[in-house]
């Protein structure tokens, strides 16, 4: 018969396995864990759902709304444009400015949102400077993680660290408690990535060609293996289709072909929609496989042309873009048909690339997955509309200036003042931290920085909220059954004879390993009680032990699944899993050594 403690550890082990399996959502795994703890009698109903009333959970939800106000008003975008003004043509300045900027922004708002804002900017700058994006996008993701270690609200584990200390009767952390060491880690990371990491990010084929070219349509089509589906077709003057509207011809349903562009006389190109009227001698650029093209040409007596007969690109580059799904995208596990992608955005998906797989032609019934990249074609206005869906996808604008937006009232100043006011109230602790954040979120909505209340609710990443609220009871169950004490005694028994520094190092390493594969928030929730009890049993201050767990939870560089920003840049930078290992593991070890040595200096035992 299993004891209560053994049963908790069994449920914990099953939970960790669930986190490691990509097909299972982390929040559903955590919620299943919570229900298992209740159904086995290990927790009461109030204990099982106490996490949903925890002030940290409320605070994190409110911070998502504050971040949404920063994004919607364009404040974050304006911060990104400062990158353009200060870099000139220097890769060195671009790298430094970019990493500092993304780290500072990530210290106050979501690191995923920050990367979504800056990703297209950085790719564009790489093209201007003739360098491959792979040299900068991994540093972008890593800097966003290091930025989370700069402030109390930079990342969820920092907030949980503060609450764990308060719940155990100790003084809570202040807003800038993390900053001194966080800055050291940031500058260490910048130096490492500039002098060592970027050399490991060079792509052999890019070295041969001298870097990334400004924008090459054929190259992008080749990368997505879409070029074989692009065909030029001429409509003879006497053809029965002349004078008819594409919509009434029903070519997609009859022949499985999609018309993308028409080339008129004098090489004038136009994107084609359902309302376009076919004219004599039009050259249509269609998207279809070879068999469909053969049926199409033969069925209505058209003339298939060779690619060589066209002057210029197969497609107009201004109407072509790469789209990357964010890790928290609502489109995940849905098909393009389910979301009516073409009808909603007016764009045609030319190709799809899953993580670790070759790009290929998509199917409208195929489910989209975490980290997918799409090659889309359509009018620039439609691409620009898609780019505003930053919670779901990031558009890498490669070939044209964005459409001119209608002039809107500039509320970025108001958003900036709200952020500044929130920080002042936090630093001077005028109100409890959770109240300060909720006030800031409310003002964002009332001033119109977040356009309406429904948008505020949609901006909250409920997966993160449910994950934290569902994992907090696991820590309660471990504490009730003696599991925390068991883990603490095991840690002391194996490393305690070497002193508290060795125990701190052990906590840092364990947190670091777990954070590479499962949520750093879930890891922190489980290990903060262990860190505090271990310190109490050793008769030392719990502060350095807690800070070791907090910092380690933020420094997750070794795998593309360690953080959402890592997954986002993987597709854009054309990285492999091994690229993260080659660069991330040495950086992880370097910062770990510095952290273990310096944490006791800033937070004495």
């Amino acid at each position: 018969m299993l004891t209560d403690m053994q049963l908790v550890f069994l449920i914990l082990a099953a939970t960790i396995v669930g986190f490691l399996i990509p097909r299972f959502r982390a929040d559903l795994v955590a919620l299943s864990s919570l229900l298992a703890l209740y159904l086995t009698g290990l927790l009461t109903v109030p204990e099982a759902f106490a996490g949903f009333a925890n002030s940290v959970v409320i605070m994190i939800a409110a911070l998502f709304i504050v971040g949404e106000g920063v994004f919607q008003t364009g404040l974050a975008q304006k911060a990104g444009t400062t990158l353009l003004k200060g870099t000139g043509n220097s890769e060195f300045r671009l790298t430094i400015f970019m990493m500092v900027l993304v780290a500072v922004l990530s210290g106050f708002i979501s690191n995923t949102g920050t990367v979504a804002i800056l990703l297209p900017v950085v790719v564009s700058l790489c093209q201007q400077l003739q360098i491959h994006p792979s040299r900068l996008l991994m540093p972008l993701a890593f800097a966003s993680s290091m930025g989370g270690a700069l402030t109390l609200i930079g990342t969820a584990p920092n907030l949980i660290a503060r609450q764990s200390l308060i719940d155990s009767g100790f003084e809570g952390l202040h807003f800038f408690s993390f900053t001194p060491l966080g800055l050291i880690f940031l500058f260490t990371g910048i130096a490492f990535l500039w002098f060592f990491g970027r050399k490991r990010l060079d792509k052999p084929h890019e070295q041969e060609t001298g870097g990334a070219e400004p924008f090459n349509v054929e190259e992008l089509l080749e990368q997505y293996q879409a070029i074989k589906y692009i065909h030029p077709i001429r409509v003879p003057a006497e053809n029965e289709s002349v004078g008819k509207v594409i919509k009434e011809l029903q070519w997609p349903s009859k022949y499985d072909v999609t018309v993308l562009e028409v080339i008129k006389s004098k090489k004038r190109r136009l994107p084609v929609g359902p309302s376009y009227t076919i004219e004599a001698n039009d050259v249509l650029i269609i998207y279809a496989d070879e068999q469909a093209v053969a049926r199409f040409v033969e069925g209505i007596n058209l003339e298939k042309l060779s690619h060589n007969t066209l002057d210029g690109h197969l497609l107009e580059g201004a109407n072509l873009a790469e789209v990357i799904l964010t890790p928290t995208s609502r489109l995940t596990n849905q098909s393009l048909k389910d979301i009516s992608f073409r009808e909603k955005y007016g764009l045609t998906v030319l190709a799809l690339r899953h993580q670790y797989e070759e790009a290929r032609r998509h199917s409208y019934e195929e489910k989209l997955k975490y980290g997918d990249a799409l090659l889309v074609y359509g009018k620039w206005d439609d691409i620009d509309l898609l780019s505003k869906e930053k919670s779901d996808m990031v558009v890498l604008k490669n070939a044209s200036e964005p459409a001119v937006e209608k002039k809107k009232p500039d509320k970025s100043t108001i958003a900036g003042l709200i952020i500044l006011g929130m920080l002042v109230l936090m630093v001077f602790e005028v109100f409890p931290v959770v109240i300060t954040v909720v006030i800031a979120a409310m003002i964002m909505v009332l001033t119109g920085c977040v356009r309406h209340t429904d948008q505020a609710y949609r901006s909250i990443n409920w997966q993160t909220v449910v994950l934290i609220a569902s994992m907090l009871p696991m820590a309660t169950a471990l504490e009730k059954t003696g599991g925390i004490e068991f883990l603490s005694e095991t840690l002391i028994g194996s490393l305690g004879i070497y002193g508290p520094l060795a125990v701190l190092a052990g906590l840092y390493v364990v947190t670091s390993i777990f954070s590479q594969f499962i949520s750093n928030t879930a890891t922190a929730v489980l290990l903060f009680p262990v860190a505090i009890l271990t310190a109490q049993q050793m008769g030392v201050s719990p502060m350095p032990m807690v800070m070791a767990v907090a910092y380690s939870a933020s420094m997750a560089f070794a795998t593309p699944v360690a953080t959402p920003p890592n997954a986002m840049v993987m597709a854009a930078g054309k990285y492999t899993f091994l690229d993260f290992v080659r660069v991330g593991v040495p950086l992880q070890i370097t910062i770990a050594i510095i952290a273990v040595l310096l944490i006791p200096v800033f937070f004495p035992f």
Side-chain angles (χ1 to χ4, degrees), residues 170-326:
F170 298 96
E171 182 182 355
L173 296 161
H174 303 293
F175 188 83
F176 290 113
S177 296
F178 293 87
T179 307
L181 256 181
L183 287 172
I184 292 174
F185 297 152
L186 175 61
F187 293 130
T188 299
I190 291 173
F192 176 92
L193 289 166
W194 175 256
F195 291 107
F196 178 77
R198 69 191 183 102
K199 296 176 182 177
R200 293 195 159 203
L201 293 174
D202 283 331
K203 302 292 181 181
H205 64 278
E206 296 299 339
Q207 291 175 342
E208 293 169 8
T209 59
E213 295 182 4
F215 183 76
N216 189 311
V217 174
E218 273 68 36
E219 182 180 312
L220 194 58
L221 292 172
E222 284 283 4
Q223 287 175 2
Y224 276 86
Q225 299 189 28
I227 200 165
K228 58 188 174 183
Y229 301 110
I230 310 297
H231 307 275
I233 305 291
R234 188 190 304 279
V235 182
E238 66 280 3
N239 192 273
E240 61 182 17
S241 303
V242 173
K244 294 183 179 179
V245 176
I246 285 183
K247 186 176 183 179
E248 68 183 57
L249 292 170
Q250 298 182 339
W251 287 343
S253 58
K254 288 181 179 179
Y255 299 101
D256 194 22
V257 301
T258 302
V259 182
L260 303 176
E261 282 183 8
V262 60
I263 302 178
K264 313 293 287 184
S265 58
K266 299 181 181 178
K267 303 178 184 177
R268 186 163 60 96
R269 286 176 178 255
L270 296 172
V272 170
S275 59
Y276 177 76
T277 302
I278 302 293
E279 296 181 5
N281 296 314
D282 275 351
V283 175
L284 304 177
I285 306 297
I286 68 168
Y287 172 72
D289 60 33
E290 290 284 356
Q291 292 80 8
V293 172
R295 291 194 305 272
F296 180 54
V297 169
E298 184 179 350
I300 52 178
N301 299 315
L302 300 174
E303 179 186 353
K304 183 178 179 183
L305 303 178
S306 166
H307 289 174
N308 297 329
T309 62
L310 297 178
D311 292 326
H313 297 303
L314 278 176
L315 292 175
E316 185 64 39
N319 300 319
L320 199 64
E322 216 174 348
V323 177
I324 299 169
L325 264 62
T326 64

Side-chain angles (χ1 to χ4, degrees), residues 66 69-70 73 75 410-425 436 439-440 443-444 447 449:
V66 173
V70 172
T73 59
L75 181 60
D410 186 0
K411 294 192 175 181
S412 59
T413 302
I414 297 175
L417 290 174
I418 293 171
I419 291 289
L420 182 61
M422 182 183 77
L423 298 183
V424 170
L425 292 176
T436 298
I439 289 172
I443 297 174
M444 282 287 187
T447 57
C449 292

Side-chain angles (χ1 to χ4, degrees), residues 112-180:
T112 304
T114 301
V115 172
I117 289 286
L118 293 181
L119 186 55
V121 178
V122 173
V123 170
S124 175
L125 286 171
C126 288
Q127 289 159 357
Q128 292 176 30
L129 295 179
Q130 297 282 294
I131 59 177
H132 194 267
S134 65
R135 291 166 71 99
L136 289 178
L137 292 186
M138 194 180 290
L140 173 72
F142 289 175
S144 73
S145 295
M146 290 184 275
L150 291 178
T151 68
L152 177 66
I153 63 173
T155 186
N158 294 3
L159 292 167
I160 298 169
R162 177 183 181 276
Q163 193 62 43
S164 297
L165 286 167
I166 293 173
D167 291 344
S168 298
F170 298 96
E171 182 182 355
L173 296 161
H174 303 293
F175 188 83
F176 290 113
S177 296
F178 293 87
T179 307

Side-chain angles (χ1 to χ4, degrees), residues 28-167:
L28 294 181
V29 171
L31 194 56
S32 300
S33 167
L34 180 154
L35 292 173
L37 291 172
Y38 170 74
L39 293 173
T40 52
L42 295 170
L43 292 179
T44 64
V45 172
E47 289 171 336
F49 292 100
F52 288 91
N54 192 285
S55 61
V56 171
V57 175
I58 305 299
M59 196 185 322
I60 288 170
L63 280 170
F64 279 118
I65 298 174
V66 173
E68 182 69 11
V70 172
F71 296 138
Q72 279 195 15
T73 59
L75 181 60
Q77 187 69 50
K78 286 185 177 180
T81 58
T82 61
L83 193 66
L84 291 165
K85 296 177 181 177
T87 55
N89 291 318
S90 167
E91 182 184 351
F92 174 75
R93 285 203 298 272
L94 174 58
T95 303
I96 304 303
F97 283 20
M98 176 203 70
M99 293 189 70
V100 171
L101 176 62
V102 73
V104 171
L105 288 174
S106 296
F108 300 97
I109 54 180
S110 158
N111 61 355
T112 304
T114 301
V115 172
I117 289 286
L118 293 181
L119 186 55
V121 178
V122 173
V123 170
S124 175
L125 286 171
C126 288
Q127 289 159 357
Q128 292 176 30
L129 295 179
Q130 297 282 294
I131 59 177
H132 194 267
S134 65
R135 291 166 71 99
L136 289 178
L137 292 186
M138 194 180 290
L140 173 72
F142 289 175
S144 73
S145 295
M146 290 184 275
L150 291 178
T151 68
L152 177 66
I153 63 173
T155 186
N158 294 3
L159 292 167
I160 298 169
R162 177 183 181 276
Q163 193 62 43
S164 297
L165 286 167
I166 293 173
D167 291 344

Side-chain angles (χ1 to χ4, degrees), residues 362-407:
H362 75 289
S363 165
Y364 266 80
E365 284 74 31
E366 184 176 4
K367 301 289 185 183
L368 298 174
K369 298 179 182 178
Y370 174 92
D372 277 355
L374 307 171
L375 184 65
V376 301
Y377 179 87
K379 295 179 181 178
W380 180 259
D381 286 347
D382 294 329
I383 293 175
D384 197 52
L385 176 66
L386 189 69
S387 71
K388 292 178 171 57
E389 305 277 350
K390 292 195 183 294
S391 60
D392 292 322
M393 61 195 91
V394 176
V395 174
L396 302 181
K397 301 173 183 177
N398 290 321
S400 177
E401 293 299 321
V404 178
E405 295 185 359
K406 295 178 181 178
K407 191 69 177 176

